[in-house]
Amino acid sequence: MKEIYFNTESGQLMLNNIPVAPLDGQKFIATMKENAIDIEKHTTGTHIRNFSTSGSLKGLEFGINFIFDCAHMQTVWMSWDGGNTKKYGYDTTESQLLSDKDTLVKLLSKSFNRNPDEINKASSTFQFPWGHISASASIQSSTAAIGISWNFLEIMILKIEDGYFFATESISLFRGMKREKLSSIDQDWKVWIRHGNEEIAYKTSFEIKKNKMIIICFFEENDGPIKFWDFGPAKGMNGFQSKPEGKYTRKVRRWFLDEFGIMLPQSGTWGEIDAFHDPHNHTTSVFCIYK
């Protein structure tokens, strides 16, 4: 049985120490295949897709359902395959389901070493900078479950050990990516820098919580792969600091942690991501350079 683990700093769900959520659909399927994790696909006839597998958390077995809206992983539901539901099935009473829910709340409280932030009759919720994890009971479906939702679905940094960037449904940047991949997706990328007759940098923008975000990606010449990308809010991070480390680099790292639950810097064999200050333009942003 695959072991379930929550990384509450990054918002990742792990199976046997492998990050499986949140990922976009293509990366999710590739990750499962690469690590020989069996999944079952369920079709609904709509843009909603879901995949299921199973795992064990602190000795309790769960059926895990990954729910996607187009390319976005929206939520993960972990239905407990034990307790009163296993014993009584659809004859489980409301009080028995609520007892099962309380068992899951105690399990999460022990895992997170704290009590829930919000408590009501049918669910208890633990809040994090990146989203929330809740234990709930559903009278209609006679199940007790753990649900995981992310509040940064508009922009996510995923598989950070690979320097993988995913934003909205149409922005996806990763090590080794070629520029033809960029032009094949539905996003208004504009040429930002030309070198001779060759286009080597592209820029686009999108919104998060009504704030404009800018991302620029740079490619090697002669049809080479992506070199680095630069990302940050259009306003609020501009100003001069006299040294590479200062007020604005600290501000960007704090913003990135608050918005996405990820602490900078991050590095690996793929390269490095950190806050970077441009002393010429007096701007500071999140910068990823690939090795």
Side-chain angles (χ1 to χ4, degrees):
M1 180 66 67
K2 300 173 288 293
E3 290 295 325
I4 300 167
Y5 173 73
F6 300 115
N7 186 328
T8 55
E9 290 188 3
S10 66
Q12 289 179 320
L13 173 67
M14 326 277 281
L15 288 179
N16 289 343
N17 294 320
I18 300 162
V20 297
L23 299 175
D24 72 284
Q26 183 177 3
K27 194 70 176 179
F28 172 79
I29 293 172
T31 298
M32 294 303 205
K33 184 177 181 180
E34 289 168 5
N35 294 281
I37 299 175
D38 293 331
I39 55 172
E40 183 177 348
K41 182 179 179 180
H42 307 274
T43 57
T44 62
T46 69
H47 59 284
I48 302 296
R49 298 180 297 155
N50 60 75
F51 300 83
S52 63
T53 187
S54 60
S56 174
L57 176 63
K58 305 293 185 181
L60 300 186
E61 296 182 5
F62 291 85
I64 310 171
N65 200 27
F66 302 86
I67 302 171
F68 290 82
D69 185 347
C70 296
H72 291 306
M73 182 182 288
Q74 285 192 323
T75 55
V76 173
W77 281 102
M78 297 170 39
S79 299
W80 185 22
D81 293 336
N84 288 305
T85 298
K86 183 176 182 179
K87 189 174 182 180
Y88 299 108
Y90 286 106
D91 293 326
T92 309
T93 65
E94 178 179 347
S95 61
Q96 289 168 337
L97 283 168
L98 294 176
S99 175
D100 285 351
K101 184 266 294 185
D102 290 341
T103 297
L104 298 182
V105 172
K106 292 177 183 177
L107 176 69
L108 294 177
S109 294
K110 186 176 180 180
S111 297
F112 305 149
N113 197 30
R114 64 182 177 91
N115 293 323
D117 300 287
E118 299 176 13
I119 301 173
N120 59 48
K121 182 178 180 180
S123 67
S124 297
T125 302
F126 299 81
Q127 298 287 355
F128 299 95
W130 46 265
H132 65 265
I133 299 176
S134 62
S136 62
S138 171
I139 308 303
Q140 291 78 12
S141 59
S142 297
T143 57
I146 294 173
I148 312 163
S149 295
W150 296 271
N151 56 19
F152 52 91
L153 285 175
E154 292 177 284
I155 162 71
M156 293 181 285
I157 300 295
L158 311 174
K159 289 284 283 184
I160 201 73
E161 66 268 22
D162 294 334
Y164 184 79
F165 182 98
F166 175 77
T168 74
E169 293 182 8
S170 53
I171 302 175
S172 182
L173 307 176
F174 49 90
R175 183 176 62 166
M177 177 181 179
K178 294 295 190 73
R179 67 195 73 191
E180 61 264 25
K181 178 67 175 178
L182 193 73
S183 61
S184 69
I185 55 181
D186 183 22
Q187 177 68 27
D188 185 23
W189 289 97
K190 299 184 183 300
V191 177
W192 184 243
I193 297 176
R194 284 188 174 90
H195 189 270
N197 295 325
E198 190 171 5
E199 300 170 354
I200 61 171
Y202 303 84
K203 178 181 179 180
T204 193
S205 64
F206 51 94
E207 287 191 355
I208 300 176
K209 301 175 183 177
K210 298 183 180 180
N211 294 319
K212 186 178 181 180
M213 300 290 152
I214 304 294
I215 183 165
I216 305 171
C217 55
F218 301 78
F219 289 83
E220 298 277 4
E221 295 184 67
N222 301 316
D223 199 32
I226 190 170
K227 294 171 62 177
F228 46 83
W229 50 256
D230 184 292
F231 163 72
K235 297 180 180 180
M237 303 296 177
N238 299 335
F240 177 72
Q241 65 180 42
S242 59
K243 297 179 180 180
E245 290 293 318
K247 171 184 176 181
Y248 287 98
T249 47
R250 290 194 296 271
K251 186 176 181 180
V252 166
R253 291 190 186 105
R254 180 73 252 180
W255 166 77
F256 201 67
L257 178 62
D258 290 344
E259 284 291 331
F260 313 121
I262 296 174
M263 187 174 294
L264 295 177
Q266 295 281 338
S267 62
T269 56
W270 50 268
E272 182 177 7
I273 298 175
D274 199 4
F276 171 77
H277 179 72
D278 182 344
H280 303 291
N281 296 312
H282 298 180
T283 59
T284 310
S285 57
V286 176
F287 192 82
C288 173
I289 183 166
Y290 292 115
K291 294 180 181 178

